[in-house]
Amino acid sequence: MRREPPKTALDYAPLAFPAGMLILFFVVPFATMIAVSFFKRDSTGFYSPDFVFDNYARFLSFFFGGVLSFSLGLAIAVAVVCVTLAYLLARMSRKAQVLWLVALLSILSLSEVIIGFAWSTLLSRTAGITNLLVMIGLMESPVALMPNFGAVLTGMTYQALPYTVLVLYPALVRLDPTLTEAARTLGA
């Protein structure tokens, strides 16, 4: 069946609703945000219409540069960890793959709030993992494992891993394992 190209303006009518929603919920808020970014900030915390670059100068300051670099570094670290774990999952035996896939995809049925609360409890000083280490005798006293880079990396990896596996697992499983072996024998 061949589709005919639109001939009249009425043929474009089915696009009116999606275009209206796109304009209303994306273009208008985005344009408002861009416009307000050039406004002048009052001492009360509000913005008055003006055309200044103070907000961008504040954004490019050392403080925001540090926050931005930390965020980008964390995102890269989470991506590397998730892709590595997805690759290792694809190289496991079929039985282990099924077990891990069920466990990973069951994470998606939990609320992010519940997951965040569970991680904050596990990494806390009062009811966390360090209490088990004290009980075993590996530590002398419990300590809080958060807030630090490792705790944030663990939580974000836990949240991102199921989605990474959903996207990459089908392609990684189809990779021929003999290619890795051949590359290794050729010195790669």
Side-chain angles (χ1 to χ4, degrees), residues 4-5 22 26 28 30 38 44 55 61 84 94 100 112-113 120 147 149-150:
E4 293 185 30
L22 184 65
F26 179 74
V28 170
F30 195 70
F38 291 105
T44 58
N55 296 326
S61 69
T84 304
R94 187 70 182 151
W100 277 103
E112 284 85 3
V113 174
S120 67
F149 184 79

Side-chain angles (χ1 to χ4, degrees), residues 10-78:
L10 196 58
D11 292 339
Y12 291 103
L15 295 176
F17 182 73
M21 292 293 109
L22 184 65
I23 289 169
L24 182 67
F25 293 112
F26 179 74
V27 175
V28 170
F30 195 70
T32 304
M33 182 182 68
I34 296 292
V36 170
S37 72
F38 291 105
F39 286 2
K40 186 174 184 176
R41 187 177 178 145
D42 293 337
S43 59
T44 58
F46 294 105
Y47 292 91
S48 60
D50 201 357
F51 190 77
V52 294
F53 290 99
D54 294 344
N55 296 326
Y56 290 100
R58 192 169 62 243
F59 176 70
L60 296 175
S61 69
F62 183 73
F63 172 74
F64 284 111
V67 170
L68 184 63
S69 65
F70 175 80
S71 298
L72 289 175
L74 182 65
I76 290 168
V78 168

